Amino acid sequence: MSLAGKRILLVISGGIAAYKSLDLIRRLRERGAQVRPVMTAGAREFVTPLAVGALSSGHVYTDLFSREDEQDVGHIRLARDCDLIIVAPATADLMAKMANGLAEDLASTVLLATDRPVLVAPAMNPKMWSHAATRRNVETLRRDGLSFVGPNAGEMAEGGEAGLGRMAEPLEIVAAAEDLLDGGRKPLAGRRAVVTSGPTHEPIDPVRYIANRSSGRQGHAIAAALAKLGADVTLVSGPVTLPDPRGVKVIKVERAEEMLAAVLGALPADIAVMVAAVADWRVATENTEKIKKTPGEGPPPLMLAENPDILKTIGHHAQRPKVVVGFAAETQDVEDNGRVKLRKKGADLIVANDVSPETGIMGGTRNSVKLITAAGIEEWPDLSKDEVAGRLAGWIAERLS
Ligand SMILES: Cc1cc2nc3c(=O)[nH]c(=O)nc-3n(C[C@H](O)[C@H](O)[C@H](O)COP(=O)(O)O)c2cc1C
């Protein structure tokens, strides 16, 4: 119950993403927070106070000039009797009011009268978000000390348009709220983690190699998410074009054999998350000179040799980390292959995903995974790779506690 006893004032303004604030209320309450909602007139066009009140189990504040509300808590107490104010969704309109100190309805008045931290989750059409006026307002609010979560890139709820403007997912908002309230929860402080990421390159000769389509996005995001929870992370990365995640020790390798050596060098560790797409085979006899194309001789034969199985090695190692997680990229029978892998590799969890080309997962920014453990299978919705990383880091922290 990471938000146990925390009092959160949730300001809901009039954007289409207001429907997500219903889920946000649930998520906040699941973590022990008390949620007091304030809705703008615009918000009430999208979700009803009845639904918001049913989920928050209390009164929903809507009017500045309501005698009943004023007698109940009053707008000044509403603004101060909380540990955090979350504005989700935050419309362009409400942010403009906030940036300019307007107080013309209950939401804007409370936001002007508060001395509590404020977390803003903007949601709007990409053109509204990139408009010079909104940019100025956001800049002003940042300078005023307000915190932001999102917006994310993606398709808008009303369909058609894509770009930056989608409200952060409820769980991201919850994580940002936890960070603000706790100064960052660090449940993995004092824990060591080793994460692999990216592809491996197995040389054929000095200029050619065997590779795969892994981008490293998921592995890098997991390393960052574990570090954010306080873990001391070593990231062993194959060749990728991504920046090194902040606060993580990065060891860059090319081949599977180098990756294994670096992972073993990072032991002992409490956590191992093997995300890299390690080549199963390497070229048996490496050519130190570039293989020449000789007319009439045809292509040279490529003899392959098996690479070490890094996950299996770690899963059965004398210094096996307490939590061993493997990734299974499959194009068929995802669950069955994941179950077999769990057993054979000595892992606690296999994160299985279908990387058939039509899913766009390999090399893309989103992921749709199934968690396979001895206890069963849990399916997560389609999420960004950062969201998968955040949730997985949370799963690992819970497992270790
Ligand atoms: C269907 C529809 C969807 C809207 N979605 C958004 C939105 O996502 N973000 C936004 O800033 N404004 C959106 N608007 C415009 C706001 O509702 C409008 O600016 C309103 O005055 C906001 O009031 P409030 O900020 O007091 O809640 C939308 C309007 C309509 C009609």
Side-chain angles (χ1 to χ4, degrees):
M1 299 276 267
S2 55
L3 294 172
K6 298 292 181 199
R7 297 159 310 156
I8 293 178
L9 188 80
L10 175 64
V11 176
I12 306 172
S13 59
I16 191 88
Y19 77 93
K20 285 196 202 168
S21 56
L22 299 177
D23 189 35
L24 176 61
I25 295 172
R26 260 190 55 219
R27 303 293 184 177
L28 291 167
R29 294 191 69 206
E30 268 170 16
R31 285 158 181 76
Q34 295 165 28
V35 181
R36 203 178 237 179
V38 170
M39 295 177 77
T40 65
R44 282 176 274 147
E45 296 290 333
F46 293 91
V47 288
T48 63
L50 189 65
V52 171
L55 283 165
S56 59
S57 280
H59 189 67
V60 180
Y61 297 84
T62 52
D63 292 326
L64 180 58
F65 302 112
S66 148
R67 263 192 62 199
E68 195 194 318
D69 287 2
E70 269 306 300
Q71 272 169 3
D72 181 13
V73 276
H75 66 277
I76 300 293
R77 255 188 62 204
L78 203 53
R80 313 256 170 91
D81 261 7
C82 60
D83 299 294
L84 173 71
I85 298 185
I86 301 178
V87 189
T91 55
D93 172 72
L94 183 56
M95 288 197 302
K97 286 175 187 154
M98 291 159 72
N100 289 286
L102 298 189
E104 55 118 52
D105 62 359
L106 184 62
S108 52
T109 305
V110 159
L111 285 159
L112 193 62
T114 193
D115 55 0
R116 311 274 91 196
V118 178
L119 174 65
V120 184
M124 68 198 68
N125 173 280
K127 291 271 186 306
M128 288 170 82
W129 176 250
S130 61
H131 193 284
T134 307
R135 308 264 34 86
R136 275 196 305 276
N137 293 334
V138 170
E139 191 45 44
T140 302
L141 293 172
R142 280 192 208 280
R143 261 191 275 116
D144 290 347
L146 280 72
S147 302
F148 280 79
V149 52
N152 292 341
E155 209 159 287
M156 299 296 108
E158 56 271 45
E161 251 179 290
L164 210 56
R166 235 166 86 126
M167 187 169 91
E169 294 304 321
L171 284 177
E172 284 176 72
I173 301 175
V174 168
E178 286 168 344
D179 273 4
L180 269 178
L181 285 168
D182 284 359
R185 262 179 342 121
K186 303 285 180 208
L188 293 178
R191 303 286 193 179
R192 283 167 57 99
V194 55
V195 179
T196 64
S197 183
T200 61
H201 285 183
E202 306 297 335
I204 296 170
D205 64 22
V207 295
R208 303 180 179 98
Y209 55 83
I210 300 174
N212 60 64
R213 295 183 197 281
S214 168
S215 66
R217 280 204 187 94
Q218 187 63 82
H220 277 52
I222 290 168
L226 291 169
K228 200 170 159 208
L229 294 191
D232 174 3
V233 182
T234 301
L235 172 65
V236 183
S237 173
V240 295
T241 54
L242 301 172
D244 292 349
R246 262 196 303 154
V248 165
K249 178 182 169 200
V250 182
I251 301 176
K252 294 182 182 169
V253 298
E254 290 219 343
R255 318 161 183 216
E257 286 171 322
E258 292 165 1
M259 190 171 268
L260 175 64
V263 168
L264 293 176
L267 296 182
D270 304 283
I271 304 157
V273 189
M274 304 289 99
V275 196
V278 183
D280 289 320
W281 304 285
R282 66 179 180 278
V283 178
T285 45
E286 202 194 312
N287 297 282
T288 49
E289 302 295 339
K290 185 183 170 203
I291 304 171
K292 285 275 179 227
K293 182 174 154 188
T294 318
E297 270 192 18
L302 266 192
M303 288 297 294
L304 299 179
E306 203 157 309
N307 262 336
D309 185 328
I310 302 178
L311 175 59
K312 196 170 169 189
T313 308
I314 295 300
H316 294 97
H317 198 271
Q319 286 185 304
R320 182 190 188 280
K322 290 186 195 75
V323 179
V324 175
V325 179
F327 269 64
E330 305 286 351
T331 54
Q332 53 193 351
D333 304 328
V334 175
E335 289 184 14
D336 287 345
N337 286 331
R339 270 195 221 99
V340 171
K341 220 170 170 181
L342 182 75
R343 205 165 14 86
K344 279 199 182 156
K345 313 266 170 153
D348 301 295
L349 166 66
I350 292 291
V351 182
N353 52 14
D354 182 346
V355 293
S356 308
E358 61 275 14
T359 65
I361 287 174
M362 202 93 173
T365 56
R366 300 193 70 75
N367 209 350
S368 179
V369 302
K370 289 182 174 146
L371 267 64
I372 301 173
T373 61
I377 296 184
E378 185 184 330
E379 191 165 351
W380 283 355
D382 173 59
L383 296 167
S384 72
K385 287 183 176 173
D386 285 341
E387 287 164 341
V388 169
R391 281 195 183 196
L392 187 64
W395 187 95
I396 290 169
E398 238 160 64
R399 179 109 183 177
L400 276 170
S401 69

